[in-house]
Protein backbone atom coordinates (compact mmCIF):
# COMPACT_ATOMS: atom_id res chain seq x y z
CA UNK A 1 0.00 0.00 0.00
CA UNK A 2 1.22 3.47 -0.86
CA UNK A 3 0.22 6.00 1.77
CA UNK A 4 -1.54 9.12 0.55
CA UNK A 5 -1.58 10.80 3.94
CA UNK A 6 0.39 13.79 2.68
CA UNK A 7 -2.77 14.95 0.86
CA UNK A 8 -5.08 17.02 3.10
CA UNK A 9 -8.75 16.04 3.02
CA UNK A 10 -11.76 18.34 3.44
CA UNK A 11 -15.04 16.51 4.08
CA UNK A 12 -18.30 18.36 3.51
CA UNK A 13 -20.88 16.66 5.71
CA UNK A 14 -20.07 14.70 8.86
CA UNK A 15 -23.03 12.34 9.13
CA UNK A 16 -22.58 8.58 9.14
CA UNK A 17 -20.45 8.28 5.99
CA UNK A 18 -18.68 11.64 6.04
CA UNK A 19 -18.06 11.52 9.77
CA UNK A 20 -16.77 7.95 9.58
CA UNK A 21 -14.49 9.03 6.74
CA UNK A 22 -13.17 11.88 8.86
CA UNK A 23 -12.39 9.42 11.64
CA UNK A 24 -10.80 6.95 9.21
CA UNK A 25 -8.62 9.50 7.43
CA UNK A 26 -7.31 10.94 10.68
CA UNK A 27 -6.60 7.42 11.95
CA UNK A 28 -4.68 6.75 8.72
CA UNK A 29 -2.48 9.79 9.30
CA UNK A 30 -4.12 12.35 7.03
CA UNK A 31 -4.61 15.98 7.92
CA UNK A 32 -8.39 16.21 7.65
CA UNK A 33 -11.17 18.56 8.64
CA UNK A 34 -14.87 18.79 8.02
CA UNK A 35 -17.92 20.96 7.60
CA UNK A 36 -21.39 20.32 9.00
CA UNK A 37 -24.32 22.69 8.63
CA UNK A 38 -25.73 21.50 11.97
CA UNK A 39 -24.07 23.22 14.91
CA UNK A 40 -25.07 20.28 17.11
CA UNK A 41 -23.32 17.81 14.82
CA UNK A 42 -20.24 20.01 14.48
CA UNK A 43 -20.02 20.48 18.23
CA UNK A 44 -20.32 16.73 18.81
CA UNK A 45 -17.43 16.13 16.41
CA UNK A 46 -15.30 18.79 18.07
CA UNK A 47 -16.06 17.31 21.47
CA UNK A 48 -14.51 14.08 20.18
CA UNK A 49 -11.40 15.96 19.09
CA UNK A 50 -12.11 16.43 15.37
CA UNK A 51 -11.76 19.65 13.39
CA UNK A 52 -15.28 20.44 12.15
CA UNK A 53 -16.76 23.85 11.44
CA UNK A 54 -20.24 25.15 10.66
CA UNK A 55 -18.73 27.73 8.28
CA UNK A 56 -18.57 26.33 4.75
CA UNK A 57 -16.41 29.14 3.29
CA UNK A 58 -13.89 28.63 6.07
CA UNK A 59 -13.55 24.91 5.34
CA UNK A 60 -13.27 25.49 1.59
CA UNK A 61 -10.80 28.37 1.80
CA UNK A 62 -8.55 26.12 3.88
CA UNK A 63 -8.94 23.44 1.20
CA UNK A 64 -7.96 25.92 -1.51
CA UNK A 65 -4.92 27.09 0.46
CA UNK A 66 -3.65 23.55 1.04
CA UNK A 67 -4.66 21.93 -2.30
CA UNK A 68 -6.82 19.46 -0.40
CA UNK A 69 -8.98 16.67 -1.76
CA UNK A 70 -12.59 17.74 -1.20
CA UNK A 71 -15.16 15.04 -0.42
CA UNK A 72 -18.86 15.83 -0.81
CA UNK A 73 -20.62 13.74 1.83
CA UNK A 74 -24.16 15.10 1.79
CA UNK A 75 -27.38 13.61 0.35
CA UNK A 76 -28.09 14.25 -3.31
CA UNK A 77 -30.58 17.09 -2.66
CA UNK A 78 -27.79 19.12 -0.99
CA UNK A 79 -25.12 18.48 -3.65
CA UNK A 80 -25.93 21.58 -5.72
CA UNK A 81 -25.34 23.95 -2.81
CA UNK A 82 -22.00 22.27 -2.04
CA UNK A 83 -20.87 22.53 -5.67
CA UNK A 84 -21.86 26.18 -5.83
CA UNK A 85 -19.69 26.93 -2.80
CA UNK A 86 -16.80 24.86 -4.15
CA UNK A 87 -16.95 26.70 -7.48
CA UNK A 88 -16.70 29.97 -5.54
CA UNK A 89 -14.07 29.17 -2.93
CA UNK A 90 -12.04 26.14 -4.09
CA UNK A 91 -12.55 25.51 -7.82
CA UNK A 92 -9.09 24.06 -8.43
CA UNK A 93 -9.11 21.38 -5.74
CA UNK A 94 -9.42 17.69 -6.51
CA UNK A 95 -13.03 16.69 -5.89
CA UNK A 96 -14.93 13.51 -5.13
CA UNK A 97 -18.14 12.44 -3.40
CA UNK A 98 -19.70 9.53 -1.54
CA UNK A 99 -23.24 9.92 -2.93
CA UNK A 100 -25.08 6.71 -3.79
CA UNK A 101 -25.66 7.68 -7.44
CA UNK A 102 -23.01 8.84 -9.84
CA UNK A 103 -24.54 10.08 -13.10
CA UNK A 104 -26.62 12.87 -11.47
CA UNK A 105 -23.62 14.04 -9.44
CA UNK A 106 -21.40 14.04 -12.52
CA UNK A 107 -23.97 16.10 -14.43
CA UNK A 108 -24.12 18.63 -11.59
CA UNK A 109 -20.32 18.80 -11.41
CA UNK A 110 -20.22 19.56 -15.13
CA UNK A 111 -22.80 22.34 -14.75
CA UNK A 112 -20.54 24.07 -12.25
CA UNK A 113 -17.43 23.71 -14.43
CA UNK A 114 -15.65 21.40 -11.98
CA UNK A 115 -15.38 18.24 -14.07
CA UNK A 116 -11.65 18.55 -14.75
CA UNK A 117 -10.74 17.72 -11.13
CA UNK A 118 -13.66 15.42 -10.29
CA UNK A 119 -13.65 11.66 -9.72
CA UNK A 120 -16.87 9.98 -8.63
CA UNK A 121 -16.78 7.72 -5.59
CA UNK A 122 -19.17 5.54 -3.64
CA UNK A 123 -18.13 3.44 -0.63
CA UNK A 124 -20.51 0.47 -0.49
CA UNK A 125 -21.01 0.47 3.25
CA UNK A 126 -23.26 1.94 5.91
CA UNK A 127 -25.71 1.17 8.68
CA UNK A 128 -29.33 2.05 9.39
CA UNK A 129 -28.15 4.63 11.96
CA UNK A 130 -27.26 8.23 11.08
CA UNK A 131 -25.46 11.26 12.47
CA UNK A 132 -22.11 11.80 14.13
CA UNK A 133 -22.95 9.47 17.04
CA UNK A 134 -23.11 6.56 14.56
CA UNK A 135 -19.70 7.21 12.98
CA UNK A 136 -17.02 4.53 13.01
CA UNK A 137 -13.42 4.73 11.81
CA UNK A 138 -13.59 1.07 10.74
CA UNK A 139 -16.74 1.48 8.61
CA UNK A 140 -14.76 1.25 5.35
CA UNK A 141 -12.50 -1.62 6.35
CA UNK A 142 -13.07 -4.53 3.97
CA UNK A 143 -15.72 -2.58 2.04
CA UNK A 144 -15.88 -2.04 -1.71
CA UNK A 145 -15.34 1.55 -2.87
CA UNK A 146 -16.56 2.32 -6.39
CA UNK A 147 -14.25 4.82 -8.11
CA UNK A 148 -15.10 6.47 -11.42
CA UNK A 149 -13.20 5.83 -14.63
CA UNK A 150 -15.41 7.91 -16.89
CA UNK A 151 -14.13 9.61 -20.02
CA UNK A 152 -12.13 12.70 -19.11
CA UNK A 153 -11.03 11.43 -15.68
CA UNK A 154 -7.56 12.74 -14.84
CA UNK A 155 -4.87 10.59 -13.30
CA UNK A 156 -3.89 12.84 -10.39
CA UNK A 157 -7.25 13.20 -8.60
CA UNK A 158 -8.06 9.57 -9.45
CA UNK A 159 -4.85 8.43 -7.76
CA UNK A 160 -5.56 10.60 -4.72
CA UNK A 161 -8.99 9.03 -4.28
CA UNK A 162 -7.79 5.46 -4.75
CA UNK A 163 -5.05 5.99 -2.18
CA UNK A 164 -7.58 7.44 0.25
CA UNK A 165 -9.91 4.47 -0.20
CA UNK A 166 -7.11 1.94 0.23
CA UNK A 167 -5.70 3.75 3.26
CA UNK A 168 -9.17 3.56 4.85
CA UNK A 169 -9.13 -0.23 4.38
CA UNK A 170 -11.34 -0.54 1.29
CA UNK A 171 -10.86 -2.30 -2.01
CA UNK A 172 -11.54 -0.27 -5.15
CA UNK A 173 -13.80 -1.27 -8.05
CA UNK A 174 -13.33 0.95 -11.14
CA UNK A 175 -16.64 1.70 -12.84
CA UNK A 176 -18.27 4.29 -15.09
CA UNK A 177 -21.17 6.32 -13.70
CA UNK A 178 -24.04 4.87 -15.74
CA UNK A 179 -23.02 1.26 -15.11
CA UNK A 180 -22.57 2.00 -11.41
CA UNK A 181 -26.09 3.40 -11.16
CA UNK A 182 -27.63 0.41 -12.92
CA UNK A 183 -25.72 -1.98 -10.66
CA UNK A 184 -26.57 -0.29 -7.37
CA UNK A 185 -30.23 -0.15 -8.37
CA UNK A 186 -30.11 -3.95 -8.13
CA UNK A 187 -27.94 -4.53 -5.07
CA UNK A 188 -28.52 -1.42 -2.95
CA UNK A 189 -31.64 0.52 -3.91
CA UNK A 190 -34.00 -2.38 -4.66
CA UNK A 191 -33.14 -3.98 -1.28
CA UNK A 192 -34.39 -0.78 0.37
CA UNK A 193 -37.69 -1.08 -1.50
CA UNK A 194 -38.07 -4.76 -0.61
CA UNK A 195 -37.14 -4.16 3.03
CA UNK A 196 -39.75 -1.42 3.37
CA UNK A 197 -42.32 -3.70 1.71
CA UNK A 198 -41.51 -6.63 3.97
CA UNK A 199 -41.74 -4.38 7.04
CA UNK A 200 -45.16 -3.08 5.99
CA UNK A 201 -46.54 -6.55 5.22
CA UNK A 202 -45.12 -8.03 8.42
CA UNK A 203 -46.46 -5.28 10.64
CA UNK A 204 -49.89 -5.67 9.02
CA UNK A 205 -50.07 -9.07 10.72
CA UNK A 206 -50.38 -7.35 14.07
CA UNK A 207 -48.81 -8.13 17.41
CA UNK A 208 -48.83 -11.89 16.90
CA UNK A 209 -46.88 -11.72 13.63
CA UNK A 210 -44.36 -9.30 15.07
CA UNK A 211 -44.06 -11.38 18.21
CA UNK A 212 -43.18 -14.44 16.11
CA UNK A 213 -40.75 -12.60 13.82
CA UNK A 214 -37.21 -13.87 14.03
CA UNK A 215 -33.95 -13.69 12.11
CA UNK A 216 -35.19 -13.73 8.54
CA UNK A 217 -37.63 -10.86 9.20
CA UNK A 218 -35.04 -8.94 11.23
CA UNK A 219 -32.34 -9.27 8.56
CA UNK A 220 -34.74 -8.69 5.68
CA UNK A 221 -36.03 -5.43 7.16
CA UNK A 222 -32.76 -4.09 8.58
CA UNK A 223 -32.41 -1.19 6.16
CA UNK A 224 -36.04 -0.21 6.71
CA UNK A 225 -34.72 1.18 9.99
CA UNK A 226 -32.97 3.93 8.02
CA UNK A 227 -34.55 7.39 8.31
CA UNK A 228 -37.18 7.72 5.54
CA UNK A 229 -35.77 10.99 4.21
CA UNK A 230 -32.36 9.34 3.78
CA UNK A 231 -33.87 6.39 1.92
CA UNK A 232 -35.63 8.77 -0.46
CA UNK A 233 -32.41 10.74 -0.95
CA UNK A 234 -30.61 7.48 -1.80
CA UNK A 235 -33.21 5.94 -4.12
CA UNK A 236 -35.13 8.77 -5.76
CA UNK A 237 -32.20 10.17 -7.82
CA UNK A 238 -31.81 6.72 -9.41
CA UNK A 239 -35.50 6.33 -10.21
CA UNK A 240 -35.04 5.28 -13.83
CA UNK A 241 -32.72 2.37 -13.11
CA UNK A 242 -34.70 1.46 -9.99
CA UNK A 243 -37.94 1.29 -11.98
CA UNK A 244 -36.37 -1.19 -14.39
CA UNK A 245 -35.19 -3.57 -11.68
CA UNK A 246 -38.39 -3.16 -9.67
CA UNK A 247 -40.32 -4.29 -12.74
CA UNK A 248 -37.95 -7.25 -12.98
CA UNK A 249 -38.53 -8.11 -9.32
CA UNK A 250 -42.29 -7.83 -9.75
CA UNK A 251 -42.08 -10.24 -12.70
CA UNK A 252 -40.19 -12.75 -10.55
CA UNK A 253 -42.72 -12.36 -7.71
CA UNK A 254 -45.58 -12.63 -10.16
CA UNK A 255 -44.22 -15.92 -11.49
CA UNK A 256 -43.89 -17.22 -7.92
CA UNK A 257 -47.47 -16.16 -7.17
CA UNK A 258 -48.75 -17.92 -10.30
CA UNK A 259 -46.89 -21.09 -9.31
CA UNK A 260 -48.39 -20.97 -5.83
CA UNK A 261 -51.86 -20.44 -7.25
CA UNK A 262 -51.69 -23.28 -9.78
CA UNK A 263 -49.33 -25.80 -8.18
CA UNK A 264 -49.29 -24.71 -4.48
CA UNK A 265 -45.51 -24.46 -4.89
CA UNK A 266 -42.95 -21.69 -5.20
CA UNK A 267 -41.73 -23.44 -8.32
CA UNK A 268 -38.30 -22.45 -9.56
CA UNK A 269 -37.89 -19.39 -7.35
CA UNK A 270 -36.32 -21.24 -4.45
CA UNK A 271 -33.85 -23.04 -6.73
CA UNK A 272 -32.82 -20.00 -8.74
CA UNK A 273 -32.68 -17.81 -5.64
CA UNK A 274 -30.46 -20.30 -3.85
CA UNK A 275 -28.16 -20.54 -6.85
CA UNK A 276 -27.95 -16.75 -7.08
CA UNK A 277 -27.05 -16.48 -3.39
CA UNK A 278 -24.37 -19.15 -3.81
CA UNK A 279 -22.92 -17.19 -6.70
CA UNK A 280 -22.78 -14.07 -4.51
CA UNK A 281 -21.07 -15.94 -1.67
CA UNK A 282 -18.46 -17.46 -3.97
CA UNK A 283 -17.68 -14.25 -5.86
CA UNK A 284 -14.14 -13.02 -5.27
CA UNK A 285 -12.52 -10.07 -6.98
CA UNK A 286 -9.19 -10.52 -8.72
CA UNK A 287 -6.38 -7.99 -8.39
CA UNK A 288 -5.89 -5.55 -11.25
CA UNK A 289 -2.19 -5.10 -11.98
CA UNK A 290 -0.01 -3.45 -14.58
CA UNK A 291 -2.11 -0.31 -15.02
CA UNK A 292 -0.40 3.06 -14.59
CA UNK A 293 -2.77 6.02 -14.24
CA UNK A 294 -2.21 8.44 -17.09
CA UNK A 295 -0.76 5.91 -19.51
CA UNK A 296 -2.41 5.49 -22.90
CA UNK A 297 -5.65 3.51 -22.57
CA UNK A 298 -5.55 3.31 -18.77
CA UNK A 299 -9.20 4.27 -18.29
CA UNK A 300 -10.41 1.75 -20.89
CA UNK A 301 -8.33 -0.99 -19.27
CA UNK A 302 -9.73 -0.24 -15.83
CA UNK A 303 -13.32 -0.09 -17.12
CA UNK A 304 -13.01 -3.51 -18.68
CA UNK A 305 -11.32 -4.96 -15.60
CA UNK A 306 -13.92 -3.57 -13.21
CA UNK A 307 -16.75 -4.99 -15.32
CA UNK A 308 -15.11 -8.43 -15.06
CA UNK A 309 -14.78 -8.34 -11.28
CA UNK A 310 -11.35 -6.73 -10.99
CA UNK A 311 -10.40 -4.81 -7.86
CA UNK A 312 -7.54 -2.68 -6.57
CA UNK A 313 -6.43 -3.35 -3.01
CA UNK A 314 -3.16 -1.45 -3.40
CA UNK A 315 -1.69 1.26 -5.59
CA UNK A 316 1.99 1.08 -6.44
Amino acid sequence: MTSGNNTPVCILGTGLIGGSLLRATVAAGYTAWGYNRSSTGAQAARADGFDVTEELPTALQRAANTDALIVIAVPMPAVDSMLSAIATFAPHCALTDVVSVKAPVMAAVQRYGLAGRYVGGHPMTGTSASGWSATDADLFRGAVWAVGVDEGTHADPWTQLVRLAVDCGSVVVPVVAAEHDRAVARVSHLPHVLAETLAVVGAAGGDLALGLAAGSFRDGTRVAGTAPELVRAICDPNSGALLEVLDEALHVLGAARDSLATDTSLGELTDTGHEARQRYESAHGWEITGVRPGDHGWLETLRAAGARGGILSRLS
Side-chain angles (χ1 to χ4, degrees), residues 86-245:
I86 292 167
T88 300
F89 296 104
H92 303 297
C93 285
L95 175 64
T96 188
D97 70 288
V98 294
V99 180
S100 63
V101 288
K102 299 274 65 74
V105 176
M106 180 176 294
V109 167
Q110 291 169 342
R111 287 197 302 272
Y112 283 94
L114 299 169
R117 299 287 290 164
Y118 171 73
V119 181
H122 181 201
M124 301 298 296
T125 186
T127 72
S128 60
S130 60
W132 176 262
S133 62
T135 59
D136 179 2
D138 291 326
L139 186 66
F140 308 97
R141 195 156 300 281
V144 167
W145 197 312
V147 173
V149 284
D150 296 87
E151 194 67 35
T153 298
H154 292 282
D156 182 51
W158 186 88
T159 301
Q160 288 184 39
L161 176 55
V162 171
R163 284 178 172 161
L164 176 69
V166 169
D167 284 347
C168 289
S170 296
V171 297
V172 167
V173 172
V175 63
V176 298
E179 293 176 2
H180 166 277
D181 291 357
R182 287 193 292 268
V184 297
R186 292 181 178 276
V187 298
S188 178
H189 303 166
L190 180 62
H192 276 284
V193 176
L194 297 178
E196 307 287 358
T197 303
L198 180 57
V200 169
V201 173
D207 292 341
L208 176 60
L210 293 178
L212 294 173
S216 59
F217 183 79
R218 180 195 64 235
D219 296 343
T221 60
R222 180 184 65 82
V223 294
T226 307
E229 62 273 15
L230 291 180
V231 176
R232 290 190 290 270
I234 289 169
C235 296
D236 290 1
N238 203 24
S239 59
L242 182 53
L243 273 171
E244 290 183 9
V245 297

Side-chain angles (χ1 to χ4, degrees), residues 206-297:
D207 292 341
L208 176 60
L210 293 178
L212 294 173
S216 59
F217 183 79
R218 180 195 64 235
D219 296 343
T221 60
R222 180 184 65 82
V223 294
T226 307
E229 62 273 15
L230 291 180
V231 176
R232 290 190 290 270
I234 289 169
C235 296
D236 290 1
N238 203 24
S239 59
L242 182 53
L243 273 171
E244 290 183 9
V245 297
L246 183 54
D247 283 342
E248 189 175 326
L250 290 171
H251 176 77
V252 171
L253 289 171
R257 183 201 178 282
D258 291 345
S259 183
L260 276 174
T262 58
D263 302 324
T264 65
S265 168
L266 285 174
E268 296 181 357
L269 178 61
T270 53
D271 292 331
T272 56
H274 180 75
E275 289 170 5
R277 172 68 189 194
Q278 293 296 105
R279 181 180 175 188
Y280 164 69
E281 290 181 350
S282 62
H284 298 289
W286 51 273
E287 189 73 30
I288 302 169
T289 59
V291 180
R292 292 181 55 181
D295 281 0
H296 177 72

